[in-house]
Amino acid sequence: MEVASSAGILLVDDEEHFNMITINLLKLDGHDASAVCSAEDGFRFLEEHRETDIVLLDIDLGDGMSGTEALPLIIERYPTVQVVMLTSNVTLDTALDCMKKGAFDYLTKPFKKEVLMKIIPAALSRKKLIRLRDLYLEILVHDLKNPLQSISMGLDAVDADEEAVREKALNLARYGCWQIGSMISNILTITRFEKASPSLEFEEFLFEKEVQDHLGSLIQRMHFAGRKFAVILDKKKDIILGTDKMLFLGILSNLISNAIRFTQHGDSITVTAGKKDSRHIEVKVVNTGSFIEDHLRDKIFDKFFASDFHTENRKQNFGLGLTFSKLAVAALGGDIRVESRRDPMETAFIFTIRNHRK
């Protein structure tokens, strides 16, 4: 049986006895619940607890601001918070009006506990979808700037007199197109993983040959943009790998692309591979241009963290590539971790996947 997710819930109602009973019920069900008696106190609470998921908002709050007046302000100031309206004497018109203003749902008091407990997971799902939509939009708007600039610059110079300049312009435009395609592929794959377990196509291949071919194509694309660096493949011995080849190479591409963000001109990225045990192989992608703090090493794989963090830290924009990598590694029966040091500066992404070689 699936355990329901815990929610941060604020109850705004001027009936203290009702508040006490409802809060106790919510806490017994594992939720982080609090109550206030006025809309004004509710706004103060939300300002101090921005992680709140759901507001249970009474329409009639007695003196002061009413629930219907507070609703649009909550939606405006805290757009991911899901508001469920409460009332003792609701009419259909009132309920529809609240829904039009952005309320997730409404309940007529007194309500059964079972009804409220069904609304909570639905409200959490809606909040997740809103955050996911906002995340993708924010990352796309931010990350599309560079590839679009590459395409624009390339097209501007495509009619140049010198053949070398024209070729460089076309390569720059090709690189921008590849970047956009990679971003779209990551988003579609992440969405597919979150909706259901994707079907995998296992096949056996020689690790060195496939990786060398793939790296050659990847490096060529990067060189199109004038990025000069080396990727060193260091394998302990020939490895025959049985896995979903496209997914595996997608992980490698994203980790190398992430390493490239921090690779200076003339530096190298090292890819090391070897058998971890009889059933797993381990791959390490190392760059010498970044350091990741201990407390961030698990968080950087989360898609919501990617958005929140790169907004404030433009120099360390992890995008969605790491989210893709973590989901893909898990699907291939493995795990992924980060090791990083400041002096000398180095960051390694290490992933292990199951080898399904027969």
Side-chain angles (χ1 to χ4, degrees):
M1 181 177 178
E2 187 176 352
V3 179
S5 298
S6 174
I9 302 174
L10 172 65
L11 172 59
V12 184
D13 196 293
D14 60 343
E15 299 179 33
E16 292 187 10
H17 182 66
F18 172 78
N19 287 356
M20 182 181 67
I21 294 174
T22 306
I23 290 301
N24 286 335
L25 286 174
L26 290 168
K27 288 182 175 180
L28 285 173
D29 209 53
H31 300 292
D32 182 11
S34 303
V36 295
C37 294
S38 70
E40 291 78 9
D41 286 341
F43 285 117
R44 280 189 283 271
F45 181 92
L46 290 173
E47 195 61 30
E48 296 174 0
H49 302 82
R50 289 180 171 267
E51 72 282 2
T52 301
D53 300 304
I54 300 168
V55 173
L56 304 176
L57 178 62
D58 191 26
I59 287 179
D60 184 7
L61 291 172
D63 297 335
M65 185 183 295
S66 70
T68 52
E69 292 171 331
L71 172 62
L73 296 178
I74 295 175
I75 298 300
E76 179 185 356
R77 298 176 189 177
Y78 313 99
T80 63
V81 171
Q82 302 304 298
V83 183
V84 177
M85 306 303 294
L86 307 177
T87 184
S88 301
N89 300 296
V90 73
T91 65
L92 181 58
D93 288 343
T94 303
L96 289 175
D97 183 57
C98 289
M99 300 286 278
K100 288 178 182 178
K101 290 180 179 178
F104 173 71
D105 209 334
Y106 72 92
L107 288 170
T108 303
K109 299 189 294 186
F111 50 78
K112 294 183 179 180
K113 175 187 174 183
E114 293 77 12
V115 177
L116 175 59
M117 296 310 169
K118 285 182 179 179
I119 287 178
I120 291 173
L124 287 176
S125 294
R126 188 191 188 206
K127 178 178 181 177
K128 180 180 178 181
L129 288 174
I130 291 173
R131 290 191 67 190
L132 193 59
R133 178 203 66 195
D134 293 346
L135 165 79
Y136 287 161
L137 180 61
E138 183 178 347
I139 288 181
L140 280 173
V141 169
H142 180 266
D143 286 2
L144 276 174
K145 290 179 181 178
N146 287 336
L148 287 175
Q149 185 178 27
S150 296
I151 294 171
S152 177
M153 291 172 62
L155 294 178
D156 285 343
V158 77
D159 293 326
D161 294 333
E162 297 181 21
E163 183 178 350
V165 175
R166 292 198 303 272
E167 182 65 21
K168 184 176 181 180
L170 284 173
N171 286 339
L172 194 61
R174 291 187 188 110
Y175 175 65
C177 291
W178 172 79
Q179 282 183 299
I180 293 174
S182 179
M183 290 168 56
I184 293 172
S185 176
N186 281 344
I187 290 175
L188 292 176
T189 303
I190 290 169
T191 303
R192 182 163 57 97
F193 272 103
E194 291 182 326
K195 287 183 177 178
S197 298
S199 58
L200 302 176
E201 297 181 5
F202 293 107
E203 59 180 300
E204 292 187 4
F205 56 90
L206 187 62
F207 176 90
E208 180 182 20
K209 180 182 182 305
E210 292 294 339
V211 172
Q212 287 284 20
D213 290 347
H214 188 70
L215 288 178
S217 175
L218 179 63
I219 292 170
Q220 184 182 36
R221 291 191 184 100
M222 299 303 171
H223 286 180
F224 282 165
R227 299 293 303 277
K228 302 296 183 182
F229 57 88
V231 177
I232 302 169
L233 177 60
D234 178 18
K235 62 181 183 57
K236 296 177 181 177
K237 62 179 181 178
D238 288 342
I239 301 172
I240 299 176
L241 180 59
T243 189
D244 186 302
K245 183 167 69 174
M246 296 307 296
L247 205 56
F248 171 76
L249 293 176
I251 297 167
L252 205 55
S253 287
N254 275 287
L255 293 181
I256 292 174
S257 295
N258 180 74
I260 288 168
R261 297 172 189 261
F262 310 104
T263 302
Q264 303 300 317
H265 183 79
D267 285 351
S268 298
I269 297 168
T270 304
V271 179
T272 305
K275 291 183 179 179
K276 182 179 181 181
D277 53 45
S278 60
R279 293 187 175 183
H280 297 84
I281 73 157
E282 184 175 86
V283 181
K284 181 187 294 187
V285 178
V286 182
N287 76 80
T288 55
S290 68
F291 170 74
I292 301 174
E293 301 281 354
D294 288 352
H295 68 284
L296 298 178
R297 293 176 191 175
D298 290 330
K299 295 179 180 179
I300 58 175
F301 295 102
D302 182 81
K303 58 183 179 295
F304 297 119
F305 171 81
S307 174
D308 295 339
F309 185 71
H310 90 247
T311 300
E312 299 177 0
N313 300 267
R314 298 293 183 181
K315 293 182 180 179
Q316 281 192 285
N317 171 18
F318 298 106
L320 287 176
L322 297 185
T323 302
F324 166 92
S325 298
K326 183 175 182 178
L327 291 171
V329 166
L332 296 181
D335 55 55
I336 187 168
R337 70 183 191 276
V338 181
E339 294 179 357
S340 193
R341 65 187 184 191
R342 193 187 295 275
D343 187 21
M345 189 175 292
E346 179 182 283
T347 294
F349 285 85
I350 305 163
F351 71 93
T352 301
I353 63 168
R354 185 177 179 85
N355 191 350
H356 291 270
R357 181 187 177 189
K358 295 178 182 179

